[in-house]
Amino acid sequence: VLGLVSEPTFPEQGPDAVVARIVKLARASMAEARGKEIAGVGIGSPGPLDTKRGIVLLTPNLGWTNMPLRDRIAGALGLPATLDNDANCAIFGEWWRGAARGARVVAGITIGTGVGGGVVIDGKLFHGTSDIAGEIGHTPVDPNGRRCKCGNYGCIEAYASGPAIAARAVEGVEAGASSSLPSYVNGDLGVVEGRSDTGIEVRLHRTGTVAIVKPVTSEWREPTGKKNPAYEVKGAVTRMPLRLAYAST
């Protein structure tokens, strides 16, 4: 990493402000590279996306629809750009340089503002026919459950994302549950936010079962890169309950 800068997204300011902030941070990061040649720009965005056209079709957490994000950033920076799902970028990074290096088949989950996932097979991201392969966040686990920002009910993201965890905690306290949470925020529950670096466990049963088609070998690795043999599976078609013991972003 030659240059790294970051700022909050502030989606409430609208897409134009967010794009301007992205361009500003990209220029600052390029400046930190101290004259190194920049070949292009990689953009990770929540979706769903149309990656061929570089368009963000819909982002429930940002409120964008049909946003030509790739071309806007490429034009502002004067560099070629490519757009992919942010979870795909994270999982591909783990395959390229992280805990999944050397694995032939990689499936990963990201938990933060939303819940996402990605699949890498033979060194290539698997997008599926509609660019949403691996995106488990809007898989329904309770059709009569909590309303998700996507408009559906009972999505995994409505329970396991950072903001959802925070909202559920606040609801519990306001309903009278015993908790030390108010003491940490001086009684102001409005400032409580979900943390994506909190160790959490997500168990998906029945409708939350993940189907992996024709894996030669699939294995679970901890964030340190250590294999967990409890999750090794082999076979032509494998169906297995998905258990996430730790997630951080």
Side-chain angles (χ1 to χ4, degrees), residues 86-101 120 125:
D86 52 355
N88 281 348
C89 294
I91 305 311
F92 190 79
E94 290 295 335
W95 170 82
W96 182 38
R97 296 290 185 181
R101 290 183 73 172
V120 178
L125 281 167

Side-chain angles (χ1 to χ4, degrees), residues 12 22 85 106 113 153 156 187 197-198:
E12 67 277 6
I22 292 172
N85 181 271
V106 180
T113 306
Y153 290 87
I156 294 169
D197 58 354
T198 300

Side-chain angles (χ1 to χ4, degrees), residues 206-230:
R206 298 178 183 174
T207 58
T209 299
V210 174
I212 303 175
V213 180
K214 294 185 179 179
V216 176
T217 299
S218 180
E219 61 192 24
W220 181 273
R221 291 176 184 246
E222 305 294 343
T224 59
K226 181 180 179 181
K227 293 182 183 180
N228 187 333

Side-chain angles (χ1 to χ4, degrees), residues 11 50 54 94 115 119 132 210 213 238:
D50 181 335
E94 290 295 335
V115 176
V119 178
I132 58 172
V210 174
V213 180
T238 302

Side-chain angles (χ1 to χ4, degrees), residues 2 5 11 64 73 76 78 81 85 101 107-108 112 128 139 187 198-199 231 238 241 247:
L2 299 177
V5 292
W64 298 357
I73 292 178
N85 181 271
R101 290 183 73 172
T139 301
T198 300
Y231 294 96
T238 302

Side-chain angles (χ1 to χ4, degrees), residues 88-175:
N88 281 348
C89 294
I91 305 311
F92 190 79
E94 290 295 335
W95 170 82
W96 182 38
R97 296 290 185 181
R101 290 183 73 172
R104 177 172 172 254
V105 179
V106 180
I109 299 171
T110 59
I111 299 180
T113 306
V115 176
V119 178
V120 178
I121 301 174
D122 292 331
K124 296 181 179 180
L125 281 167
F126 178 67
H127 289 92
T129 57
S130 302
D131 280 338
I132 58 172
E135 286 302 316
I136 68 164
H138 297 290
T139 301
V141 292
D142 182 356
N144 299 312
R146 299 173 66 86
R147 182 72 179 267
C148 181
K149 288 186 177 181
C150 73
N152 290 330
Y153 290 87
C155 295
I156 294 169
E157 187 167 300
Y159 293 91
S161 68
I165 293 169
R168 294 173 68 193
V170 170
E171 289 168 6
V173 172
E174 291 178 339

